[in-house]
Amino acid sequence: MAEFEAIDSDQNVLQKHVAFFDRNNDGVIYPWETFQGFRAIGSGILLSSVAAIFINVGLSGKTRPGKKFPNLLFPIHIKNINMAKHGSDSGVYDTNGRFVPSKFEEIFHKYAHTNSDALTADELDKFIKGNREPKDYAGWIGGLSEWKILYSLAKDKNGLLKKETVRSVYDGSLFEKMAEEKTNSSKKKNM
Ligand code: HEM
Ligand SMILES: [Ca+2]
């Protein structure tokens, strides 16, 4: 909880999305912190390692404006995280990393037909494809991995991705909740 309180309330929502992964709260996310964050929410070693490499190698440079040479420790600077945005996204984060409620509602208006407050696996696929801008291959991969990982980690027992789950990934509170649940379930196992 102390960790959460340390988050500046002026932080934009995209900064909150990633702050969970800044394990020591110094404003910079190193690959080993991304790895630890993925492990803390219950991901396996393989996904956590691949994600840490791709995310940090992919985003580090974009968050270090004006720096000519890559820092080989691949730090991600949270204050510039909005510069790591890619194309073919939902537009729920604006270019400054703020949350745009109308864009969030639009996802469910357009794609949630089976249930108004959740996406089925098929509806999620249509939504991901619907976001694609022509020839924006890097954006396609970015969007596909974000949404598929979210679905695999956070769908409910009926295979639905609930609206409230999607809402809580945007401000990162989903990660806090998953980490708490993981700690509680491993405590129970050891009792
Ligand atoms: C399990 C972990 C994670 C999941 C499930 C996840 C999921 C998502 C989702 C669903 C979006 C919204 C995309 C959209 O609106 O179309 C998003 C956006 C984003 N995420 Fe994550 N994320 C995770 C971890 C991370 C980490 C560790 C970082 C970087 C340190 C990161 C950086 C971003 C950025 C920069 C965006 C904005 C992309 C854009 O709007 O163009 N995410 N993520
Ligand atoms: Ca850190």
Side-chain angles (χ1 to χ4, degrees):
M1 208 54 214
E3 209 171 273
F4 200 72
E5 275 160 15
I7 295 171
D8 182 350
S9 59
D10 281 331
Q11 246 184 353
N12 65 38
V13 175
L14 183 51
Q15 288 176 348
K16 286 189 180 166
H17 174 74
V18 301
F20 172 79
F21 296 89
D22 180 8
R23 308 303 286 171
N24 64 353
N25 277 308
D26 65 351
V28 183
I29 304 170
Y30 286 100
W32 52 91
E33 293 181 288
T34 308
F35 175 84
Q36 287 162 8
F38 268 79
R39 294 292 286 147
I41 58 176
S43 304
I45 289 183
L46 185 65
L47 173 64
S48 306
S49 311
V50 173
I53 294 168
F54 272 89
I55 293 174
N56 282 77
V57 173
L59 307 187
S60 172
K62 298 182 197 215
T63 67
R64 300 172 64 243
K67 299 280 184 344
K68 244 191 179 157
F69 299 104
N71 177 332
L72 294 177
L73 297 176
F74 297 104
I76 293 173
H77 291 267
I78 295 183
K79 69 173 188 308
N80 298 324
I81 191 68
N82 61 310
M83 298 175 132
K85 268 180 57 83
H86 50 73
S88 304
D89 56 27
S90 67
V92 172
Y93 293 123
D94 72 8
T95 48
N96 295 311
R98 287 176 302 220
F99 182 79
V100 182
S102 61
K103 282 284 178 187
F104 175 71
E105 293 300 329
E106 194 185 301
I107 302 175
F108 294 87
H109 280 309
K110 266 194 174 166
Y111 296 98
H113 300 307
T114 318
N115 304 279
S116 60
D117 59 353
L119 295 172
T120 63
D122 282 352
E123 289 165 352
L124 180 68
D125 286 342
K126 291 202 178 92
F127 158 64
I128 295 168
K129 290 205 180 107
N131 287 341
R132 287 186 180 164
E133 293 152 28
K135 295 199 176 153
D136 170 31
Y137 303 115
W140 295 9
I141 293 171
L144 190 69
S145 15
E146 284 157 2
W147 288 104
K148 289 290 184 177
I149 292 174
L150 176 62
Y151 183 80
S152 75
L153 293 174
K155 64 177 180 296
D156 74 3
K157 57 182 188 309
N158 303 314
L160 293 173
L161 186 57
K162 289 204 190 103
K163 189 172 180 180
E164 63 188 64
T165 304
V166 179
R167 179 65 187 85
S168 67
V169 77
Y170 279 106
D171 66 7
S173 57
L174 178 72
F175 304 135
E176 305 283 342
K177 195 178 131 215
M178 290 173 77
E180 217 168 277
E181 280 167 5
K182 190 178 179 241
T183 314
N184 292 343
S185 75
S186 58
K187 261 189 213 148
K188 266 188 211 144
K189 264 187 221 146
N190 294 331
M191 271 192 333

